[in-house]
Amino acid sequence: MKKIIFAQVMADNGKSVFSGLFDENGDPVSVETECDDSGVTLTIWRNAPERERRDCGISEEEIERTCSMYDDCNECPLWDYCNEDEEVL
């Protein structure tokens, strides 16, 4: 792993965005520093790689039609398929 040290002085209010950075798994991250009257904020966004959704064997139209038949998602037979995107990290 390469260690890159970068220093920046923010003498006035503003925002700096750093790209081309990666997390410990090699996935890209975006880093933003923002200075305002309340202080300095450092924000790091992890851009998770897109996963392919498993094929449930029916078309998107059929999925939408099936889902629209249920008021409560927990009752829908496709709940497990749709709930894959709700994974908590």
Side-chain angles (χ1 to χ4, degrees):
M1 168 194 273
K2 290 183 183 180
K3 291 190 177 191
I4 300 171
I5 298 174
F6 182 81
Q8 180 173 1
V9 175
M10 297 185 80
D12 205 0
N13 289 348
K15 185 185 294 190
S16 294
V17 178
F18 306 93
S19 58
L21 302 173
F22 301 87
D23 68 6
E24 68 276 7
N25 298 318
D27 296 325
V29 295
S30 297
V31 177
E32 176 183 293
T33 57
E34 183 174 6
C35 182
D36 59 22
D37 294 334
S38 63
V40 177
T41 304
L42 173 71
T43 308
I44 302 172
W45 286 281
R46 182 175 275 164
N47 304 324
E50 298 221 0
R51 298 180 324 191
E52 279 196 34
R53 199 174 209 186
R54 66 181 170 89
D55 185 10
C56 70
I58 60 176
S59 69
E60 286 296 320
E61 292 81 22
E62 288 177 282
I63 292 170
E64 289 178 25
R65 193 169 39 248
T66 302
C67 289
S68 68
M69 294 169 35
Y70 295 88
D71 291 331
D72 184 2
C73 289
N74 290 329
E75 297 174 2
C76 179
L78 298 175
W79 186 83
D80 288 336
Y81 172 76
C82 293
N83 198 39
E84 279 185 350
D85 292 339
E86 302 294 321
E87 181 181 319
V88 177
L89 298 176

